[in-house]
Amino acid sequence: MTTVQDLQSRIQANDQVIWSAAALVLALRTNTPPDLRDASLTLLHSLGIDVDLSAENDPVTVRQGLAAQAASAILQSGALLRGDRPWADQSEETMQAQGRLSARGARLFKDVTLPLLPGLDALLARPGARMLDVGTGVGALAIAYAELFPALTVVGLDIMPSALKLAAQNVAESTVPHRVELRNQDVGDLTEVDTYSLAWIPAPFVSGPALREGLKRIREALIPGGWVIMGHAKIRANEGSAALSRLQTAVYGGTLLDDMRARDFLIEAGFAQTLSLPTPPGAPAITAGHR
């Protein structure tokens, strides 16, 4: 039985965790005022964390990615406690942080996932290759894929005007503005046929009915030999991560899947070949379907 005293002790311990996480974000960001950066570095040093801010050892792009990763959970949980439960209610800062975090998935895909999907590397290298990014949000993942694959044009779908407005700004400021297309469109309304070599769909952000219909439309939109990769929770990893995945999926309004259920969704949509792919700790589980 957890007592009030136990809860008070836990709250005090959480205070240090939360403030330390905030200090890490402030230490990594390039625009933090000097007094806050110094105080943050001092706190981190007391915990045995020494952040090297030299440009040679800690490039700005690396720091920005780490800061986004550290900030995303803080911003999202803070928005949840304010009552901003729907993803559409999140602040611009929260959506941008989540986008920068998701963009890291493009490099993970190229290094870890792509070698496990036969034939896809050749398809992505073909002139005119196209990718579908469902739930593109602020466009960060779409931009990252276009940057990593020079022949690829990425089409990002979303139904949130606020996110698409930020996405348009991010695309315009990127190095690949002519190879990222944005659409205010539900994946269930997709009508293209034999168009895309690759499609990405994040189950935690897509409701069950929309996911089922979307996967059917995606299968038709893929070229023969194309792949869909579906991100979902690792609810078999351990009890703690499973419980966290359940909460996050409830907040996002999406679909909670494990490997087996994800493959069932793909099979129902007409994908004859499905694969559950390994991903490192902290990354979502990936289940792929081949047309």
Side-chain angles (χ1 to χ4, degrees), residues 20-33 36-41 44 49-54 57-72 74 100 104:
S20 299
L24 181 58
V25 177
L26 293 171
L28 291 168
R29 283 179 173 172
T30 57
N31 60 348
T32 300
L36 286 179
R37 174 173 284 111
D38 290 344
S40 298
L41 291 171
L44 294 172
I49 304 171
D50 290 311
V51 180
D52 183 358
L53 298 178
S54 65
N57 298 326
D58 204 358
V60 171
T61 53
V62 173
R63 276 189 278 150
Q64 289 174 337
L66 291 171
Q69 184 175 359
S72 182
I74 300 172
R100 287 189 290 269
R104 296 163 67 88

Side-chain angles (χ1 to χ4, degrees), residues 268-291:
E268 288 174 15
F271 290 93
Q273 182 182 356
T274 63
L275 298 172
S276 296
L277 303 174
T279 58
I286 297 292
T287 300
H290 182 244
R291 183 180 175 191

Side-chain angles (χ1 to χ4, degrees), residues 150-171:
L152 189 64
T153 293
V154 184
V155 176
L157 306 185
D158 214 299
I159 58 174
M160 290 170 42
S162 58
L164 288 169
K165 180 180 177 180
L166 294 173
Q169 296 172 3
N170 291 337
V171 170

Side-chain angles (χ1 to χ4, degrees), residues 210-290:
L211 185 61
R212 282 193 165 89
E213 181 61 26
L215 287 172
K216 293 177 184 177
R217 300 296 182 104
I218 287 172
R219 185 186 178 280
E220 294 301 313
L222 289 173
I223 64 173
W227 289 87
V228 59
I229 50 176
M230 180 164 56
H232 57 88
K234 290 181 176 177
I235 57 180
R236 294 182 183 274
N238 58 61
E239 185 177 351
S241 64
L244 176 59
S245 294
R246 290 179 187 277
L247 175 59
Q248 290 173 327
T249 304
V251 171
Y252 300 148
T255 308
L256 187 68
L257 302 175
D258 60 10
D259 291 349
M260 184 175 298
R261 193 157 177 250
R263 295 178 79 164
D264 287 343
F265 267 64
L266 289 169
I267 291 169
E268 288 174 15
F271 290 93
Q273 182 182 356
T274 63
L275 298 172
S276 296
L277 303 174
T279 58
I286 297 292
T287 300
H290 182 244

Side-chain angles (χ1 to χ4, degrees), residues 1-181:
M1 182 69 177
T2 303
T3 66
V4 171
Q5 201 168 26
D6 292 334
L7 290 175
Q8 288 175 333
S9 296
R10 175 55 63 91
I11 290 170
Q12 290 172 351
N14 285 346
D15 281 348
Q16 184 176 40
V17 171
I18 294 168
W19 281 100
S20 299
L24 181 58
V25 177
L26 293 171
L28 291 168
R29 283 179 173 172
T30 57
N31 60 348
T32 300
D35 59 332
L36 286 179
R37 174 173 284 111
D38 290 344
S40 298
L41 291 171
T42 299
L43 173 56
L44 294 172
H45 179 75
S46 73
L47 300 172
I49 304 171
D50 290 311
V51 180
D52 183 358
L53 298 178
S54 65
E56 294 79 11
N57 298 326
D58 204 358
V60 171
T61 53
V62 173
R63 276 189 278 150
Q64 289 174 337
L66 291 171
Q69 184 175 359
S72 182
I74 300 172
L75 293 170
Q76 290 184 56
S77 58
L80 175 62
L81 296 178
R82 288 196 305 269
D84 300 338
R85 178 173 172 179
W87 187 242
D89 291 342
Q90 304 299 303
S91 69
E92 290 187 2
E93 185 182 13
T94 301
M95 288 193 285
Q96 291 280 34
Q98 176 63 28
R100 287 189 290 269
L101 176 58
S102 68
R104 296 163 67 88
R107 172 57 66 180
L108 175 67
F109 167 82
K110 185 174 183 179
D111 294 344
V112 178
T113 305
L114 181 58
L116 303 176
L117 301 177
L120 183 55
D121 54 347
L123 293 181
L124 295 179
R126 284 167 42 176
R130 294 174 75 82
M131 173 188 174
L132 185 68
D133 176 25
V134 178
T136 195
V138 299
L141 182 67
I143 292 168
Y145 268 91
E147 289 175 340
L148 285 172
F149 297 95
L152 189 64
T153 293
V154 184
V155 176
L157 306 185
D158 214 299
I159 58 174
M160 290 170 42
S162 58
L164 288 169
K165 180 180 177 180
L166 294 173
Q169 296 172 3
N170 291 337
V171 170
E173 295 169 0
S174 76
T175 61
V176 289
H178 302 299
R179 289 194 291 111
V180 177
E181 302 174 10

